[in-house]
Amino acid sequence: MSETRQGAVCRWPGGQSNQSPLPDPVTDLDPATQGAVAEAILAGGCFWCVEAVFLALQGVHEVTSGYAGGDQATASYRQVCSGTTGHAEAVRVRFDPAMISFGALLKVFFGVAHDPTQRNRQGNDVGPQYRSAIFYLDEAQRVVAEAYIQQLNDSGVFSAPIATTLEAHSGFYPAEDEHQNFAQRHPDAGYIRVVALPKLDKLKHAFAPQLRG
């Protein structure tokens, strides 16, 4: 079964296998070293659904759906959905590190936003454009992300090894306007009901204290 997403055909994702709750990261960034607003660029399958998860968190100022890992010349939805451009569908999260840390964002990323054990896919959405990836902005983010992946693998909370790649940030390109805030604007869309809403329900149960009032 498939659904047309803004002119390109992408397939329905399947269920998630990741478990919750996850341990807090042992290694994290000091908020005092990051300024008033920090950024994280994360990829975990369809950006409509990942965006919806992070928009619900306290301390998150803005979430932008877009493309990371490829060149600006091919950073369009139709081209990226072909799986040939090197991009991943990703979100740029701008947040207050005094309210929510980079490590806390990663805990939500691994615990709710997607299934990090799937390589180059999320459910039935298949291809490198749906890969699980952290596009680190500096060495400090890379160290925290690498340490948390190791911590999660060692803890055995997932039934398979984490497949998330760590990739140096080389450019983030916002997606077309119709893809921004998609889940909130189209709550009755079939894709949103099947994929995004279960993630938001899980978020409410696992991370209730971190949600916006």
Side-chain angles (χ1 to χ4, degrees), residues 6-194:
Q6 302 296 327
V9 176
C10 298
R11 287 161 286 184
W12 288 93
Q16 294 176 277
S17 63
N18 50 325
Q19 303 173 36
S20 202
L22 303 185
D24 291 332
V26 172
T27 303
D28 206 344
L29 299 181
D30 181 354
T33 66
Q34 298 178 75
V37 180
E39 289 187 359
I41 299 175
L42 307 169
C46 170
F47 48 25
W48 296 342
C49 307
V50 177
E51 177 192 65
V53 168
F54 287 107
L55 279 172
L57 297 174
Q58 291 184 47
V60 170
H61 296 309
E62 178 185 68
V63 184
T64 303
S65 289
Y67 314 108
D71 297 330
Q72 185 173 9
T74 54
S76 71
Y77 187 77
R78 182 173 292 278
Q79 290 172 290
V80 171
C81 211
S82 72
T84 62
T85 67
H87 297 89
E89 288 194 15
V91 298
R92 181 180 62 201
V93 183
R94 288 182 168 152
F95 61 100
D96 180 350
M99 294 184 66
I100 185 168
S101 69
F102 179 65
L105 289 177
L106 294 185
K107 184 176 179 181
V108 173
F109 175 68
F110 286 112
V112 175
H114 76 311
D115 178 354
T117 68
Q118 296 192 31
R119 187 177 302 278
N120 287 336
R121 67 181 301 161
Q122 283 297 298
N124 292 330
D125 275 342
V126 179
Q129 70 272 32
Y130 300 113
R131 69 187 180 273
S132 173
I134 298 169
F135 294 90
Y136 57 89
L137 276 65
D138 53 32
E139 179 65 8
Q141 284 193 352
R142 188 198 66 77
V143 168
V144 170
E146 183 176 61
Y148 195 42
I149 290 171
Q150 186 65 54
Q151 181 185 345
L152 293 177
N153 279 330
D154 290 345
S155 72
V157 294
F158 294 105
S159 58
I162 289 174
T164 305
T165 59
L166 301 181
E167 304 179 35
H169 168 61
S170 61
F172 176 85
Y173 309 104
E176 298 81 350
D177 288 346
E178 60 263 32
H179 297 297
Q180 305 302 331
N181 203 19
F182 189 91
Q184 287 190 12
R185 292 188 296 107
H186 303 283
D188 294 326
Y191 197 94
I192 298 305
R193 291 199 310 271
V194 170

